[in-house]
Amino acid sequence: MNRVALAVLAWILMATPSLAQSATPTLYAESYRQGSTRITEETFEAKLTPENAYYHEPIKDSTGKDRYDLSITPRMPGGDDRITSWVVRLKDFHHDIFFNLLMANQEPSEDAKNNLWKLDPNRLGPVPIRARRVIKVEGFYVVIRVKDLHFTPLDSPYLDSMEVQFALTNSDPRSSH
């Protein structure tokens, strides 16, 4: 083999592990809410900006009736009017006492599995912003993936947009990924 071919082969071998490491991780958790409720499957996207910082999507059960409310709200710490992250909540219209069905435990913690509902780009946070998040709630799954985000200015912690993709399914999406 000539030197050029060896150099190309060496580069490929060195690049392969780093490509695998940069793959988007899938994180899985199960809600504290267990049951057998199934939903009408759907996929949708939310495009969030400071001007359109809130999002609501009614989620239908398998009979076609509105059963859950999926909402996204901005986080603006310290009374600031600039957004540093968004949070996703799933509420059951039949049981208002439950805060967020996307939590693994009803008690707050820093455990990644209990924070898949937080869309926080902070590099020191428990969940990587680009992680594919799969949460089993009752008899269905909620898949959340941040497709794009942008800061203004670029080196600041303030978000001026985030695009989030949701998939709601009754079958385990981890086996099809």
Side-chain angles (χ1 to χ4, degrees):
M1 242 184 211
N2 66 30
R3 288 184 179 170
V4 172
L6 283 173
V8 169
L9 180 61
W11 180 85
I12 290 171
L13 290 174
M14 289 186 326
T16 302
S18 63
L19 289 174
Q21 290 173 356
S22 67
T24 303
T26 294
L27 300 175
Y28 176 80
E30 292 189 11
S31 169
Y32 62 85
R33 179 77 177 274
Q34 302 296 307
S36 59
T37 303
R38 313 246 319 149
I39 47 89
T40 301
E41 295 186 337
E42 64 178 313
T43 302
F44 54 91
E45 290 184 2
K47 295 182 180 176
L48 306 164
T49 65
E51 297 77 30
N52 294 306
Y54 296 87
Y55 182 88
H56 287 278
E57 183 77 29
I59 307 301
K60 297 183 181 314
D61 64 18
S62 59
T63 67
K65 294 182 180 146
D66 287 346
R67 175 65 189 265
Y68 301 96
D69 179 48
L70 185 135
S71 66
I72 307 172
T73 56
R75 288 286 164 225
M76 299 174 268
D80 200 345
D81 63 348
R82 294 180 289 184
I83 299 168
T84 57
S85 65
W86 271 277
V87 295
V88 181
R89 288 194 178 97
L90 184 68
K91 295 201 62 134
D92 187 335
F93 288 136
H94 295 170
H95 303 282
D96 283 342
I97 62 169
F98 297 115
F99 171 68
N100 186 357
L101 299 180
L102 299 176
M103 295 176 69
N105 301 304
Q106 292 187 58
E107 297 297 321
S109 73
E110 290 303 313
D111 179 34
K113 288 185 176 190
N114 204 37
N115 288 285
L116 297 183
W117 54 284
K118 293 181 179 179
L119 307 178
D120 188 349
N122 180 346
R123 292 183 183 162
L124 300 176
V127 180
I129 192 65
R130 299 286 186 177
R132 180 174 174 255
R133 305 145 193 257
V134 177
I135 306 162
K136 183 177 183 195
V137 180
E138 299 212 21
F140 64 94
Y141 298 83
V142 177
V143 181
I144 306 169
R145 189 172 70 88
V146 173
K147 290 182 65 178
D148 196 21
L149 67 152
H150 190 266
F151 297 91
T152 297
L154 289 177
D155 61 346
S156 81
Y158 303 113
L159 290 158
D160 66 10
S161 67
M162 183 179 284
E163 187 174 339
V164 187
Q165 180 181 59
F166 293 90
L168 303 167
T169 180
N170 293 311
S171 56
D172 191 341
R174 296 175 298 164
S175 59
S176 64
H177 181 64

